[in-house]
């Protein structure tokens, strides 16, 4: 393909938007539904991601779309919340002022007009209101609609230099809020993608008085987030993460030590609701405010483990495990709860049933849970049709309506509404498709393949474990065997699912088959699978990827002389391991922010505990990589195989990465150059671990295909 054709292919696959939230309102006679959905899309020409709003008016009886409006672009919104009665709306907007500094405004609307705008910074009560970052961010109306509860950064003390004119004279009186000579003091943040989060605090805004109250009667060594109101506005339920002895990165790290507090506003006291030694997330009350649910997992260890769902009877404070951790599940059985985020509204009106999105092996699924009987059911579009290999996400539950997003690797994201007349009988769900029939992309097909580890690679403790891969085939002439890209995910405790994947779609559009490997250790396969990889990285995961590749090669579906390797983070770790351990297998490799050398990563990453945990070593805050630890780290490092590498390598490195610092890529670059290996090194200023800035993402993907095409065309073996 010419570069112009590659660019055209990339533009085509990035045009599909992704719904990020949705809500419905029903008129008084329940004949029509107003569906409003918010979407995100890449705008390649503006080099940014945009958000827009769409609206559908739907006949609730027939599902017929009576009218639709939009898309209408939304700008500068951090939060947008409707009050419980639906009569008010609160919006937090963030702009750049003439000095290019962020300014935040809190706006209150009724159904016809804006009632007020409050300059948050001018109140001088706190720092920035935190956005909906999936970790700390919270923005909640009180039941009475008199107050707004949110999380903001603690107000920073005013800092002056010793040479400041205000401090030149000996004995000058200094304001208590001023700190003299501390302008260069280090401030710990919560790490990768949370670098503006230093000390999140609880705030209540009085809507009538335009006043902010900071809640200070909680431990000062905690950072607070995911706050909600308790019944009758008597208090607040909030998650707290410990700041001491120092902060570890939180993004994608669900196992961080944390607690669930109940703060009694009137008594100015608090109590701990969660268990010791557990990491908690996402508290949520039932609609009748009688049940509080939340999720937890063991503190420490692997970073995204199988979670429990717990329920607290608010009157008696009796606690119950509704859904426990699942150790192992065969292919068709429920494998447990795994998630990084939670839809805001998950309860049905009966205050018994709730819906969750979770990983289910190589798919994303929506499950319905009866919190009284603890029964779990998987929601499907057709209970009798088991052929749908697509994935579902949950946008929310309102009254008896499910708001879902459905997609597949060859189907862009689509909204679906499920009218649930009886939560105990999922076959009675009536499905509404606001955008009509599902769109099928003609340039790829896919299948899920089950794999059994070879006898010599089975885990001694977890022998029954299997794993899966997803094979995506491009549309090519039937007489041509396409080249193959072996794609490995990061984490390692994450997963590839069958939802629409822009990168995979792009690779297939360019004529490559793609093998996405969910090696043992991936989420959605039970807790045993996650535990099996700790202490075995660089060995078990490598064996699984190699095993999956051999099975595909034996099926005569791909050109086994034109195989390429791609992956980022731990997927990059596996990329370098694969080309080091199997130097004659791959034509070329491309990797984004790869983990290269664990002996140096342990002292530079925002999550040093990851290195210890995945190498099977105990970690505490005083742990250091001493002469006993370093040999273990080196043996599992891809760099240990540097002398065997001869595969051409493309390195794609974010210079602001806190998770896998750019020094890792730089170390590999120098080692490859010194050994005469063909290497290209691209660095991206202002980009973190995700490399998700639109211009950067575009450059990475197009350069990857250019790199593979060069080595495919110039060095193709006949």
């Amino acid at each position: 393909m010419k570069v112009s054709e590659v660019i055209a292919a990339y533009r085509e696959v990035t045009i599909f938007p992704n719904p990020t939230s949705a809500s419905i309102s029903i008129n008084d006679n329940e004949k029509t539904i107003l569906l409003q959905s918010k979407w995100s899309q890449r705008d390649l020409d503006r080099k940014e991601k945009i958000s827009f709003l769409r609206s559908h008016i739907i006949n609730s009886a027939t599902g017929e779309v009576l009218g639709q409006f939009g898309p209408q672009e939304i700008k500068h919104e951090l939060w947008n919340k409707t009050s419980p009665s639906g009569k008010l709306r609160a919006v937090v907007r963030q702009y750049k002022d003439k000095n290019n500094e962020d300014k935040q405004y809190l706006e209150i609307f009724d159904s016809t007009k804006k009632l007020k705008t409050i300059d948050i910074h001018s109140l001088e009560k706190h720092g920035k209101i935190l956005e909906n970052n999936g970790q700390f961010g919270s923005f909640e109306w009180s039941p009475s609609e008199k107050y707004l509860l949110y999380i903001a950064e603690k107000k920073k003390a005013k800092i002056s230099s010793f040479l400041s004119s205000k401090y030149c004279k000996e004995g000058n009186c200094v304001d208590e809020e001023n700190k003299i000579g501390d302008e260069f003091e280090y401030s710990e943040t919560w790490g990768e993608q949370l670098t503006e989060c230093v000390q999140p605090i609880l705030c209540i805004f009085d809507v009538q008085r335009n006043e902010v109250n900071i809640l200070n009667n909680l431990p000062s060594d905690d950072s607070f987030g995911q706050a909600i109101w308790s019944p009758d506005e008597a208090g607040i339920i909030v998650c707290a993460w410990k700041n001491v002895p120092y902060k570890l990165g939180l993004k994608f790290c669900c196992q961080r030590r944390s607690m669930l507090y109940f703060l009694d506003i009137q008594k100015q006291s608090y109590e701990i609701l969660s268990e010791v030694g557990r990491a908690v997330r996402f508290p949520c009350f039932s609609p009748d405010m009688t049940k509080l649910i939340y999720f937890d997992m063991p503190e420490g260890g692997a970073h995204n483990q199988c979670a429990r769902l717990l329920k607290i009877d608010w009157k008696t404070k009796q606690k119950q495990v509704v859904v426990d951790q699942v150790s192992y599940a065969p292919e068709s059985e429920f494998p447990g709860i795994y998630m990084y985020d939670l839809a805001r509204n998950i309860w049905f009106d009966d205050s018994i049933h709730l819906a969750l999105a979770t990983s289910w092996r190589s798919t994303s699924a929506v499950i319905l849970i009866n919190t009284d009987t603890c029964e779990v059911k998987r929601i499907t579009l057709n209970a009798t049709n088991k052929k749908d290999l697509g994935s579902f996400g949950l946008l929310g539950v309102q009254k008896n309506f499910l708001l879902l997003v459905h997609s597949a690797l060859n189907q862009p994201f689509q909204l679906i509404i499920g009218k649930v007349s009886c939560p105990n009988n999922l076959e009675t769900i009536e499905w509404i498709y606001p955008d009509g029939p599902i769109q099928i992309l003609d340039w790829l097909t896919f299948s899920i393949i089950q794999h059994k580890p070879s006898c010599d690679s089975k885990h001694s403790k977890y022998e029954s474990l299997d794993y899966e891969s997803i094979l995506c085939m491009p549309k090519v002439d039937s007489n041509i065997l396409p080249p193959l890209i072996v794609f490995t995910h990061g984490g390692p405790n994450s997963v590839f699912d069958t939802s629409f994947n822009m990168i995979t779609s792009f690779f297939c559009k360019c004529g490559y088959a793609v093998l996405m490997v969910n090696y043992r250790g991936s989420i959605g396969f039970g807790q045993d699978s996650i535990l099996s990889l700790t202490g075995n990285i660089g060995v078990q995961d490598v064996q699984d990827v190699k095993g999956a590749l051999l099975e595909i090669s034996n099926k005569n579906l791909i050109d086994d002389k034109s195989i390429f390797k791609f992956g980022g983070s731990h997927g990059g770790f596996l990329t370098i391991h694969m080309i080091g351990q199997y130097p004659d297998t791959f034509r070329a490799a491309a990797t984004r922010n790869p983990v290269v050398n664990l002996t140096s990563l342990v002292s530079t990453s925002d999550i040093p505990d990851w290195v210890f945990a995945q190498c099977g070593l105990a970690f505490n805050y005083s742990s250091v990589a001493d002469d006993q630890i370093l040999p273990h780290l080196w043996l599992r490092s891809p760099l240990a195989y540097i002398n065997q590498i001869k595969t051409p390598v493309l390195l794609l490195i974010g210079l602001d990465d806190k998770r896998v610092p750019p020094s890792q890529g730089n170390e590999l670059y120098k080692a490859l150059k010194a050994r005469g290996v063909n290497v290209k090194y691209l660095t991206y200023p202002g980009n973190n671990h995700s490399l998700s800035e639109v211009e950067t993402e575009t450059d990475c993907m197009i350069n990857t295909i250019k790199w593979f095409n060069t080595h495919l065309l110039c060095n193709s073996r006949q």
Side-chain angles (χ1 to χ4, degrees), residues 428-655:
T428 63
I429 297 178
E430 300 173 36
W431 297 106
I432 300 171
Y433 299 83
D435 292 319
I438 293 173
Q439 178 184 1
I440 305 295
L441 305 178
D442 64 1
W443 61 75
L444 72 93
T445 57
F446 72 96
S447 59
I448 299 174
I449 302 170
Q450 279 78 40
H451 303 282
K452 286 285 187 182
S454 61
C455 292
D456 59 348
S457 65
K458 284 186 176 182
H459 195 285
S460 59
K461 185 177 180 181
Y462 307 109
E463 293 184 358
S464 60
L465 293 178
D466 63 350
Y467 65 103
E468 293 180 348
S469 64
I470 306 171
L471 177 63
C472 299
M473 296 295 294
K475 184 180 180 180
V476 294
D477 188 293
S478 58
N479 295 321
I480 297 176
L481 293 178
L484 176 72
I485 297 173
V486 180
F487 191 179
T488 46
H489 64 70
N493 310 126
S494 61
V495 71
F496 283 129
D497 60 37
T498 56
S499 60
F500 181 75
N501 185 306
M502 182 275 292
I503 294 175
T504 298
S505 186
F506 173 57
F507 287 162
C508 288
K509 186 73 174 174
C510 293
Y512 289 82
V514 182
L515 183 66
M516 307 159 70
V517 185
N518 288 324
Y519 45 85
R520 285 171 291 170
S522 303
I523 62 175
F525 292 79
Q527 179 74 354
D528 287 354
S529 181
I530 293 170
L531 296 178
S532 74
L533 187 55
T534 56
N536 290 311
I537 59 169
V539 180
Q540 178 178 287
D541 43 6
V542 170
Q543 292 171 338
D544 286 356
V545 175
K546 182 61 174 178
L549 174 58
L550 285 174
E551 286 192 43
I552 300 306
S553 297
N554 292 336
K555 293 178 183 290
N556 198 34
L557 296 172
I558 55 97
D559 180 358
D560 60 7
K561 295 180 181 178
S562 298
I563 300 173
F564 299 84
K565 184 69 191 70
F566 179 77
S569 193
H570 189 84
F573 171 91
L574 289 174
T575 295
I576 307 306
H577 259 299
M578 295 296 293
I579 64 174
Q581 295 191 39
Y582 306 102
D584 297 317
T585 298
F586 301 96
R587 302 298 301 152
T591 179
R592 298 152 48 112
N593 292 325
V595 173
V596 172
N597 186 352
L598 296 175
T599 66
S600 54
L601 183 70
V602 71
S603 59
T604 55
S605 173
D606 68 327
I607 52 170
D609 63 306
W610 179 91
V611 178
F612 282 81
Q614 295 301 337
C615 289
L617 303 169
F619 173 83
N620 60 55
Y621 283 83
S622 61
S623 295
V624 293
D626 57 20
D627 58 347
Q628 301 298 311
I629 297 294
L630 286 172
H632 292 278
L633 306 188
W634 175 252
L635 289 175
R636 289 162 177 79
S637 297
L639 203 62
Y641 296 91
I642 189 63
N643 291 324
Q644 297 175 208
I645 294 177
K646 55 186 179 182
T647 305
V649 177
L650 171 64
L651 289 172
L652 309 162
I653 305 298
L655 296 183

Side-chain angles (χ1 to χ4, degrees), residues 259-275:
M259 290 161 288
L260 193 67
Y261 289 144
F262 168 60
L263 170 62
D264 189 313
I265 297 176
Q266 296 300 321
K267 295 180 181 178
Q268 295 288 294
S269 63
Y270 69 91
E271 62 176 304
I272 300 174
L273 301 176
S274 55
E275 301 173 20

Side-chain angles (χ1 to χ4, degrees), residues 338-448:
Y338 311 84
M339 56 188 183
Y340 285 115
D341 207 350
L342 184 72
R344 177 63 193 92
N345 301 305
I346 61 173
W347 285 92
F348 288 89
D349 273 1
D350 63 6
S351 292
I352 296 173
H353 295 87
L354 58 82
L356 293 177
T358 185
S359 295
W360 191 306
R361 296 177 77 90
S362 296
T363 64
S364 288
V366 174
I367 57 176
L368 188 141
I369 300 172
N370 185 317
T371 60
D372 286 350
T373 65
C374 305
E375 184 180 15
V376 178
K377 295 180 180 179
R378 183 173 185 173
I379 294 173
T380 59
L381 293 180
N382 186 338
T384 62
N385 181 12
K386 305 300 183 183
K387 296 181 180 180
D388 181 13
L389 297 179
S391 286
F392 290 89
L394 179 68
L395 297 174
V397 178
Q398 287 185 258
K399 296 186 180 295
N400 63 329
F401 289 92
L402 273 169
L403 306 178
L404 304 180
V405 54
H406 177 267
S407 72
L409 286 157
N410 59 355
Q411 299 172 25
F413 298 102
Q414 183 177 30
L415 290 175
I416 300 178
I417 301 176
K419 188 176 181 179
V420 185
S421 56
C422 178
N424 288 318
N425 186 358
L426 298 184
E427 294 184 10
T428 63
I429 297 178
E430 300 173 36
W431 297 106
I432 300 171
Y433 299 83
D435 292 319
I438 293 173
Q439 178 184 1
I440 305 295
L441 305 178
D442 64 1
W443 61 75
L444 72 93
T445 57
F446 72 96
S447 59
I448 299 174

Side-chain angles (χ1 to χ4, degrees), residues 650-655 680-684 699-700 703-704:
L650 171 64
L651 289 172
L652 309 162
I653 305 298
L655 296 183
K680 185 174 182 178
Y681 187 25
L682 302 180
T683 60
Y684 300 96
D699 192 80
C700 286
N703 266 304
T704 295

Side-chain angles (χ1 to χ4, degrees), residues 181-236:
D182 289 339
E183 57 186 317
F184 302 111
E185 184 177 2
Y186 174 65
S187 292
E188 286 183 12
T189 73
W190 283 105
E192 172 67 23
Q193 298 180 44
L194 295 171
T195 54
E196 292 191 354
C197 297
V198 177
Q199 186 68 59
I201 57 173
L202 275 167
C203 308
I204 296 178
F205 178 75
D206 188 315
V207 177
Q208 296 174 338
R209 298 182 178 181
N210 294 349
E211 295 177 350
V212 176
N213 179 31
I214 308 299
L215 303 181
N216 293 316
N217 54 315
L218 283 166
S220 60
D221 58 358
D222 288 342
S223 289
F224 301 101
Q226 301 176 16
I228 60 173
W229 293 95
S230 68
D232 303 321
E233 299 180 13
I236 293 167

